């Protein structure tokens, strides 16, 4: 018998089974329908490119382009962005000089799910609408430039990741305007970048319904997590510490050493004599203990500095605590250092933009609670003075008034604390009986995100502000 | 490219189709397989492909040289060619695997004597599979020198023998006289052969992914991480971790060997069996005739017997055993823990022989209670040696030994899944009769399409229950 006949039936059986299981999970279990993110050593995570999936509630299609962002028809991708797409690529250096043609007005937008447009069709996202509005405006003015509004938002991103996105992906596009929509959520430090995680055909495998089913339904549910060895820092274990020390990377070693020196309040010179043993003994758990003591004592900017020394094991816990503090009391003086830290990040962004004459625009994205309670402080309270102090190349804009005007009845209704309540999982919710609920700019079941009306209103407000600020004047 | 990756599945499928398409064209078929094998090896580190080729060329020439010298009645010249092969292979092995270790040890020794001989530290990368393919090529020249076989004339065929991808990275160590004749005979393919090959691969994947990897992640890695992790476990905890590691190591290595044998069978080659239910052994000798058979038989034939074997006095044969096992330990890795591990096994073999010598009748009677006791004793001797094999350093090992005396600590709380893995792993292994053989016969009798369905369903199942990513095979490091 011919070899291909012998293997053919087996191959056919195997392929049909694989396809059958995958399609079965897709159609009957709703698995593998979402667009997929993957870990990234610099950005924490990013979207896989060239995907076509469903949004979170399976209501609209979501596509990613060749760079892994929402939006099609982008200008030709600079070569250094394509090379930066490799997992281990270093940040892209800003291109010197004006490499882009004069016939394009390039607006880059960073952000998280509110700008990504969760559950909103691609052409209804505020960045897509903004592109249309700006194009119309330029046409009215007889300006021949084409407009590209490039949406670099990724779900879950904070300031740190937005700044890294600029370095990694946006800089080579030389944007005329960089829009940074802000909420208090963005101020917390980003989740620790995951180590490179790779296996053959990874990108192909993670898109399958079987992979989705395995990740969401099986792993961590039917099999326990790996058992971590416990460690008592009080028990001297020089040899064990030496081994761990040897396996640690340079950054970890530096962190442990600085934590120890800080905790003991001793100068490095005084500790040099006993350095080998003490450094080893204070590694890992001991450095965590040192960090916790230091964190409790630290105030304001000291915490900001201390964040760079956060041991990996504590990172997520501290990050979540900070996120919680920001959500609960963003304007508390004790949290001021996080704003200053974000401002420092934005300073860096502004300087890099200025290198080619770009303009930074900050938008204080209004949340539902802010729209329904005008007396509630806006992030503008911090960002407006910062932008003013930073010269003409940056300005801040709070569209809350314009958006509130789109849902006056509903906003007024939700102002009542008895009605404006928290949902079963702690999120804000809009009662079904609310008046003029159809005017809502937010999803009723997901009040953390704008619906299509919200995106349209935001686009109009932003467009109007850009026009009034004179940012469309062709300076080339 | 690991055997447990999708990449390998595609690679093997493509190699299969190409190989059998060229069924009637020997040179092309072997050339294709050689290129595929070199490409496979280059996936690990392309720089060492030249080393593989060099080893092949040297031993090919040495084999021809030895034979010519023998034919011309020039034993000195034959020994010269053999010495070339030995120096080349052991030199490669010595440089890449042992130079750093011995340099450090000699440095430390001279340092203790008051001489400072510290030189620049060399960080030499270990070529994948070097311990395996150098031993294969050595067996070739040794066999020719001993007159057990004649050299092969085709460099292509010899290179294919050295680099044949299913057994290249971690064995089985195939003897030239077993493999080379298979290159001469035109290959034939039957449906049963494919079914059997696929079954072997599935069996290997199950051992590796379901047993070894899961036990590693959920039990063994945590227990053996370091001395302090070991120090909290108590005797019962150390025993459970040790039983877990014994099963993990078996699943990992036997799984690899099964996939290698299955892959070779799909290409029409038969590789020797490397494992034969080793935990069913009733004695240590029995164990070593069932565990990593190709390696233990290599040392038996080319080291132990060449040194005199069991001929001569008890002292002399005991010395031979200890030296051979010391070398077995060193073969596994350049560290004193491995040497100690080998000597430990050698010492037990000597003790067992001594006890047998002292018992009237030359051993225990072949009855169930004695066999059970012998099996338990053998298993624990072997499992204890694996603690030494697994511990990252001697300190962890001594901590494990101390904990074995501490019966005050309760049995550690483990998830039910871990107990299930242990029960299924040991249960299927110790099942009376040939369970795998029965399952294989049933699989082979199944229609081809159903085999494909079963294959795909099994792969999906493996994918679902194992952690994401590909855990490397333990024996790749040797």
């Amino acid at each position: 018998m011919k070899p291909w006949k012998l293997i053919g039936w087996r191959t056919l059986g195997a392929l049909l089974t694989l396809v059958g299981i995958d399609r079965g999970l897709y159609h009957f279990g709703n698995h593998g329908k979402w667009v997929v993110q993957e870990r990234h050593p610099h950005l924490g995570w990013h979207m896989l490119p060239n995907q076509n999936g469903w949004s979170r509630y399976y209501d609209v299609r979501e596509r990613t382009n060749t760079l892994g962002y929402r939006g099609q028809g982008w200008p030709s991708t600079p070569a250094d962005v394509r090379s930066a797409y490799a997992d281990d690529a270093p940040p892209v250096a800003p291109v010197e000089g004006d490499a882009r043609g004069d016939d394009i007005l390039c607006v880059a937008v960073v952000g998280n799910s509110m700008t990504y447009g969760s559950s909103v069709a691609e052409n209804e996202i505020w960045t897509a609408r903004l592109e249309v509005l700006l194009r119309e405006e330029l046409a009215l003015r007889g300006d021949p430039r084409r407009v590209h509004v490039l949406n670099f938002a990724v779900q879950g991103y904070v300031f740190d990741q937005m700044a890294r996105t600029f370095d990694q992906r946006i800089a080579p596009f030389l944007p005329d305007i960089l829009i940074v929509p802000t909420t208090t959520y963005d101020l917390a430090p980003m989740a620790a970048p995951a180590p490179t995680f790779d296996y053959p055909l990874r990108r192909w495998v993670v898109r399958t319904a079987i992979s989705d089913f395995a990740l969401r339904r099986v792993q961590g549910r039917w099999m326990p997590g790996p058992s971590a060895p416990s460690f008592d820092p009080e028990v001297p274990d020089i040899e064990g510490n030496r081994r761990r020390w040897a396996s640690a990377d340079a950054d970890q070693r530096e962190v442990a050493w600085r934590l120890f020196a800080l905790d003991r309040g001793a100068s490095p010179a005084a500790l040099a004599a006993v350095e080998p043993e003490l450094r080893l003994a204070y590694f890992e758990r001991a450095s965590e203990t040192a960090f916790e003591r230091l964190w409790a004592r630290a105030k304001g900017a000291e915490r900001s500095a201390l964040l760079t020394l956060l041991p990996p094991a504590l990172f997520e816990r501290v990050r979540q605590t900070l996120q919680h503090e920001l959500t609960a009391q963003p304007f508390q003086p004790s949290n001021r250092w996080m704003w200053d830290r974000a401002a420092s990040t934005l300073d860096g962004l502004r300087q890099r933009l200025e290198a080619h004459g770009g303009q930074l625009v900050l938008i204080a994205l209004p949340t539902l609670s802010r729209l329904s309670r005008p007396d509630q402080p806006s992030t503008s309270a911090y960002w407006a003075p910062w932008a003013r102090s930073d010269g003409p190349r940056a300005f801040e804009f709070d569209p809350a008034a314009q958006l509130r005007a789109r849902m006056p009845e509903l906003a007024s209704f939700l102002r009542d604390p008895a009605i404006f309540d928290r949902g079963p999982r702690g999120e804000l919710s809009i009662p079904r009986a609310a008046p003029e609920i159809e005017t809502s700019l937010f999803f009723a079941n997901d009040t953390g995100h704008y619906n299509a009306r919200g995106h349209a209103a935001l686009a109009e407000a932003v467009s109007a502000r850009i026009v009034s600020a004179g940012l469309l004047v062709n300076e080339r | 490219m690991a055997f447990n990756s999708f990449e390998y599945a595609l690679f093997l499928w493509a190699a299969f189709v190409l190989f059998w398409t060229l069924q009637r064209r020997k040179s092309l078929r072997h050339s294709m397989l050689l290129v595929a094998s070199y490409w496979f090896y280059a996936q690990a580190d392309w720089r060492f492909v030249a080393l593989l080729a060099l080893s092949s060329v040297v031993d090919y020439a040495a084999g021809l040289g030895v034979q010519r010298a023998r034919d011309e009645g020039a034993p000195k010249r034959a020994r010269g060619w053999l010495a070339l092969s030995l120096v080349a292979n052991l030199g490669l092995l010595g440089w890449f695997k042992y130079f750093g270790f011995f340099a450090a040890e000699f440095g430390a020794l001279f340092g203790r004597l008051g001489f400072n001989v510290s030189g620049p530290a060399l960080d030499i990368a270990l070529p994948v599979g070097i311990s395996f393919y150098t031993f294969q090529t050595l067996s070739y020249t040794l066999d020719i020198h001993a007159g057990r076989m004649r050299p092969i004339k085709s460099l292509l065929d010899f290179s294919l023998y050295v680099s044949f991808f299913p057994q290249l990275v971690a064995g089985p160590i195939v003897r030239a006289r077993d493999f080379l004749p298979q290159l001469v005979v035109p290959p034939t393919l039957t449906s049963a052969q494919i079914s059997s090959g696929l079954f072997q691969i599935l069996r290997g994947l199950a051992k590796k992914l379901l047993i070894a990897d899961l036990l590693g992640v959920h039990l063994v890695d945590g227990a053996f991480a370091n001395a302090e992790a070991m120090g909290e476990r108590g005797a019962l905890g150390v025993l459970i971790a040790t039983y877990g590691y014994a099963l993990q190591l078996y699943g990992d290595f036997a799984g690899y060997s099964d996939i290698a044998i299955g892959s070779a069978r799909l290409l029409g080659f038969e590789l020797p069996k490397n494992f034969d239910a080793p935990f069913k052994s009733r004695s240590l000798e029995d164990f070593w005739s069932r565990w990593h058979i190709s390696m233990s038989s290599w040392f038996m034939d080319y080291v132990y017997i060449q040194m005199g074997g069991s001929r001569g006095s008890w002292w002399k044969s005991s010395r031979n055993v200890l030296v051979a096992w010391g070398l077995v330990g060193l073969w596994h890795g350049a560290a004193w823990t491995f040497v100690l591990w080998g000597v430990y096994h050698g010492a037990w073999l000597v003790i067992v022989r001594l006890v047998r010598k002292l018992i009237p009748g030359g051993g225990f009677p072949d009855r169930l209670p004695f066999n059970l006791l012998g099996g338990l004793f053998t298993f624990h001797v072997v499992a204890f040696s694996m603690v030494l094999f697994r511990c990252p350093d001697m300190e962890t090992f001594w901590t494990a030994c101390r904990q074995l005396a501490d019966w005050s600590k309760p049995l550690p709380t483990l998830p039910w899944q871990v107990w299930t893995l242990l029960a299924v792993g040991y249960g299927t292994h110790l099942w009376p009769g040939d369970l795998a053989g029965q399952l294989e016969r049933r699989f082979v009798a199944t229609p081809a399409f159903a085999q494909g369905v079963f294959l795909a369903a099994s792969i999906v199942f493996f994918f679902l229950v194992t952690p994401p990513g590909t855990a490397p095979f333990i024996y790749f490091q040797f």
Side-chain angles (χ1 to χ4, degrees):
Chain A
M1 195 180 285
K2 293 280 183 192
W4 66 267
K5 278 191 179 171
L6 288 174
I7 197 72
W9 284 111
R10 292 171 176 87
T11 307
L12 185 67
L15 284 177
L16 286 178
T17 307
L18 284 176
V19 171
I21 294 174
D22 197 75
R23 292 298 88 185
L25 288 170
Y26 183 89
H27 289 292
F28 302 112
N30 269 347
H31 290 289
K33 291 186 173 179
W34 290 5
V35 288
V36 186
Q37 293 176 339
E38 69 175 356
R39 302 183 204 183
H40 189 278
H42 298 301
L43 300 171
W45 59 89
H46 68 166
M47 307 290 294
L48 280 183
N50 302 316
Q51 293 189 87
N52 189 350
W54 287 95
S55 64
R56 189 174 169 187
Y57 299 112
Y58 309 114
D59 41 8
V60 295
R61 298 295 292 182
E62 285 182 9
R63 289 186 298 172
T64 59
N65 58 27
T66 52
L67 286 178
Y69 297 100
R70 288 193 84 178
Q72 310 295 321
W74 283 22
S76 58
T77 312
D80 34 5
V81 172
R82 283 200 298 276
S83 63
Y85 202 79
D87 273 356
D88 52 355
V92 178
V95 180
E96 288 189 12
D98 194 350
R100 183 171 44 73
D102 289 346
D103 60 336
I104 292 178
L105 173 72
C106 183
V107 181
V109 188
V110 289
N112 47 39
S113 54
M114 291 179 94
T115 299
Y116 173 84
S118 292
S119 293
V120 174
E122 196 173 293
N123 60 348
E124 292 183 329
I125 303 171
W126 71 266
T127 52
R129 287 177 181 270
L130 178 67
E131 185 174 272
V132 174
L133 293 170
L134 294 181
R135 194 175 293 153
E136 288 170 359
E137 180 63 28
L138 287 188
L140 278 175
R141 295 173 179 216
D143 189 330
R145 287 180 296 169
R146 288 177 289 146
V147 180
H148 282 294
V149 178
L150 312 180
N151 184 352
F152 285 93
V154 173
Q155 294 172 346
Y157 269 20
V158 293
F159 268 137
D160 292 344
Q161 285 157 299
M162 295 176 204
R164 288 174 186 224
T165 300
F166 182 84
D167 293 337
Q168 197 89 26
R169 305 279 165 79
I170 303 175
F173 283 97
L174 301 172
D176 298 282
I177 301 169
L178 174 69
I179 301 179
V180 183
T182 72
T183 62
T184 50
Y185 169 87
D186 306 325
L187 302 173
M190 67 178 274
T196 306
F197 177 74
D198 203 4
Y199 58 88
L201 306 176
R202 166 175 50 93
R203 286 188 172 175
W204 181 78
V205 170
V206 295
R207 293 174 195 224
T208 61
I210 295 172
S211 169
D212 186 35
F213 178 75
L215 287 171
R216 288 200 285 145
R217 293 297 173 92
V218 181
Q219 282 156 21
R221 201 161 170 175
W222 295 104
M223 286 307 295
S227 53
S230 59
F231 169 64
D232 182 358
E234 301 307 319
V235 178
D237 174 30
I238 300 300
E239 184 52 42
N241 278 320
R242 185 171 291 129
R243 200 173 47 253
R244 280 192 296 277
W245 193 256
S247 66
D249 63 26
D251 288 347
Q252 281 178 298
R253 284 199 282 268
E254 178 63 21
V255 162
W257 174 230
R258 286 175 63 191
L259 275 174
F260 176 76
L262 276 170
D263 188 39
R264 286 295 172 96
S267 70
L271 291 168
V274 287
E275 179 187 14
E277 286 190 7
L278 289 174
R279 284 179 66 169
L280 297 171
Y282 267 77
F283 191 52
E284 285 190 352
R285 280 280 293 277
S287 65
E288 289 168 27
T289 315
F291 180 87
E292 280 172 341
R293 276 201 295 267
L294 286 164
W295 186 258
R297 291 205 301 260
K299 299 267 184 300
E302 288 171 2
R303 285 195 160 188
S304 184
L306 211 49
L307 264 186
T308 60
L309 301 176
L310 190 51
L314 287 181
F315 198 102
E316 192 51 29
R317 186 149 56 88
V318 171
R319 195 186 70 81
Q320 284 180 6
T321 305
L322 293 177
Q323 195 101 60
H324 179 75
E325 282 178 20
L326 276 168
T327 308
Q329 293 179 313
F331 301 101
Q332 191 78 359
S334 61
N335 289 332
R336 167 88 186 192
W337 66 273
M338 282 191 267
W339 294 82
D340 294 341
R341 185 174 161 276
S344 159
T345 305
L346 286 177
D347 278 334
L349 260 187
R350 186 185 51 76
Q351 283 164 13
R352 295 199 282 283
L353 265 177
E354 272 186 2
H356 68 270
Q359 172 86 36
L360 180 66
V361 176
L362 274 182
I363 300 175
L365 281 183
T367 58
L368 179 60
S369 75
R370 164 113 177 88
L371 286 191
S372 50
R373 295 175 182 181
D375 53 326
Q376 199 178 68
S378 157
T379 55
S380 274
Y382 182 90
W383 292 120
W386 173 82
R388 277 197 297 276
S389 70
D390 224 23
R393 282 288 172 192
F395 79 87
E396 191 272 348
F397 163 53
D398 180 2
Q402 288 98 317
L403 266 63
R404 194 178 296 117
R406 302 293 185 102
M407 45 180 277
E409 287 292 317
L410 184 61
S412 169
F413 172 78
L414 292 174
R415 199 167 300 150
D416 184 346
I419 296 168
F420 189 86
D421 204 356
R422 289 189 174 274
R425 287 181 300 175
E427 79 278 23
L428 303 173
S429 62
I430 302 175
R432 285 182 181 277
E436 299 194 359
I437 192 168
E438 69 282 358
T439 62
S440 172
L441 303 183
F442 296 83
F443 287 108
N445 58 351
D446 179 13
T447 51
H449 293 107
Y450 298 117
N451 58 20
R453 290 190 75 253
H455 276 268
L458 183 63
E460 284 170 29
V462 173
S463 169
R465 186 68 181 94
I466 285 177
V467 171
S468 67
L471 298 186
L472 295 187
V473 176
N474 193 347
E475 292 178 345
R476 293 164 192 268
Chain B
M1 193 193 309
F3 278 1
N4 50 339
S5 67
F6 283 103
E7 234 177 3
Y8 180 73
L10 292 178
F11 170 77
L12 181 63
W13 193 91
F16 174 90
V17 171
L18 274 174
F19 183 85
W20 290 108
T21 307
L22 302 169
Q23 187 177 10
R24 293 173 199 284
R25 308 182 70 176
K26 185 181 165 189
S27 307
L28 269 178
R29 192 178 65 234
H30 289 179
S31 303
M32 184 283 294
L33 211 47
L34 183 69
V35 170
S37 297
Y38 272 63
W39 187 80
F40 175 85
Y41 193 65
Q43 299 307 300
D45 195 329
W46 61 269
R47 293 171 303 171
F48 295 130
V49 170
L51 212 60
L52 188 64
L54 177 74
S55 181
S56 304
V57 170
V58 167
D59 282 288
Y60 170 75
L64 289 175
V66 168
Q67 188 61 46
R68 196 175 303 126
R70 276 174 57 88
D71 291 345
E72 292 169 4
K76 274 192 179 173
R77 193 144 47 87
R79 276 200 296 275
W81 279 107
L82 180 64
L84 171 73
S85 168
L86 287 169
V87 167
N89 285 296
L90 297 179
L92 280 180
L93 203 55
W95 172 256
F96 284 102
K97 192 162 179 173
Y98 301 111
F99 181 81
F101 170 68
F102 283 114
E105 290 302 318
F106 279 119
L109 179 67
F110 281 105
R112 277 197 287 275
L113 295 173
F115 301 103
N116 183 12
V117 290
S118 59
L122 287 175
D123 186 15
I124 303 169
L126 181 67
V128 176
I130 191 169
S131 306
F132 292 90
Y133 69 73
T134 49
F135 269 44
Q136 284 201 173
T137 50
L138 267 182
S139 77
Y140 173 73
T141 43
L142 286 167
D143 280 350
I144 294 171
H145 186 260
R148 285 189 285 262
M149 66 177 291
R150 294 186 67 80
I152 190 162
K153 289 191 177 140
S154 162
L155 176 61
L156 170 68
D157 285 2
F158 183 73
S159 302
L160 180 56
Y161 155 66
V162 179
S163 64
F164 184 49
F165 73 83
Q167 45 82 45
L168 175 59
V169 176
I173 302 170
V174 188
R175 308 281 178 91
R177 59 177 187 266
D178 295 331
F179 189 86
L180 290 175
Q182 298 186 52
L183 290 173
V184 179
V185 182
T188 51
L189 183 67
T190 62
S191 181
Q193 187 185 333
I194 295 179
S195 307
S196 171
L198 289 174
F199 181 82
Q200 283 291 331
I201 292 173
L202 264 187
R203 184 183 170 192
L205 285 173
K207 282 179 186 168
K208 164 69 178 162
L209 299 174
L210 294 187
I211 303 293
D213 285 0
L214 289 179
L215 277 176
V217 169
H218 298 296
L219 173 65
V220 179
D221 292 351
F224 286 93
N226 47 43
E228 59 266 26
M230 187 57 82
E232 295 169 349
R233 304 193 81 83
L236 288 170
V238 172
L239 279 178
I240 293 296
T242 304
Y243 297 158
Y245 182 61
L247 196 55
Q248 184 200 1
L249 190 60
Y250 168 74
D252 193 280
F253 196 18
Y256 175 89
S257 298
D258 285 343
I259 299 171
I261 291 167
S263 303
R265 193 168 290 163
L266 287 178
L267 298 171
F269 295 91
E270 276 305 315
L271 299 184
K273 200 173 187 178
N274 216 15
F275 289 85
D276 184 16
F279 297 141
K280 284 183 178 174
S281 309
R282 297 169 188 178
S283 66
L284 268 179
E285 291 101 325
D286 189 18
F287 176 82
W288 282 110
S289 65
R290 291 164 175 264
W291 177 282
H292 202 175
I293 301 166
S294 64
M295 180 215 64
S296 48
S297 64
W298 196 99
F299 275 95
M300 168 73 91
D301 292 347
Y302 297 107
V303 179
Y304 177 68
I305 290 176
Q306 299 303 318
M307 288 173 71
S310 56
R311 293 190 299 273
S313 67
W314 182 85
W315 291 106
K316 204 172 171 186
S317 81
S318 299
R319 180 207 63 188
N320 295 343
V321 168
L322 286 173
V323 170
W325 278 97
L327 290 173
V328 169
L330 202 57
W331 178 87
H332 278 86
W336 288 118
T337 47
F338 287 119
V339 177
L340 195 58
W341 173 85
V343 172
Y344 166 89
H345 273 283
W348 270 114
L349 283 166
V350 168
I351 292 167
V352 167
R353 284 180 181 199
L354 179 64
V355 171
R356 275 219 192 95
K357 204 175 171 187
L358 296 174
I359 294 173
F364 295 103
D366 185 15
R367 288 190 199 145
L368 185 66
F370 288 104
N371 289 340
L372 271 178
L373 279 174
L376 273 174
F377 169 77
T378 303
F379 174 73
H380 282 87
V381 165
V382 168
F384 185 71
S385 77
M386 288 175 180
V387 176
L388 191 57
F389 204 78
R390 176 63 178 80
C391 284
D393 49 40
M394 291 305 290
E395 191 198 353
T396 311
F397 174 68
W398 294 126
T399 308
C401 294
R402 281 195 297 275
Q403 288 297 307
L404 279 172
D406 180 3
W407 291 85
S408 62
K409 289 177 181 148
L411 191 68
T413 313
L414 289 170
W416 63 268
Q417 292 93 336
V418 171
W419 291 115
T420 309
L421 285 172
L422 287 170
V424 170
Y426 279 111
T428 50
H429 186 95
L430 299 172
W431 193 272
D434 183 15
L435 179 64
Q438 290 169 19
L439 291 173
E440 183 175 345
R441 281 189 289 280
R442 193 166 288 184
F443 183 80
V444 170
T446 311
F449 185 82
Q451 284 177 18
V453 171
F454 183 72
L455 195 72
S458 304
I459 288 168
V460 170
F461 179 68
F462 296 154
F463 179 80
L464 290 181
V465 298
T466 50
T470 309
F473 285 91
I474 294 172
Y475 260 68
F476 273 24
Q477 62 186 296
F478 304 128

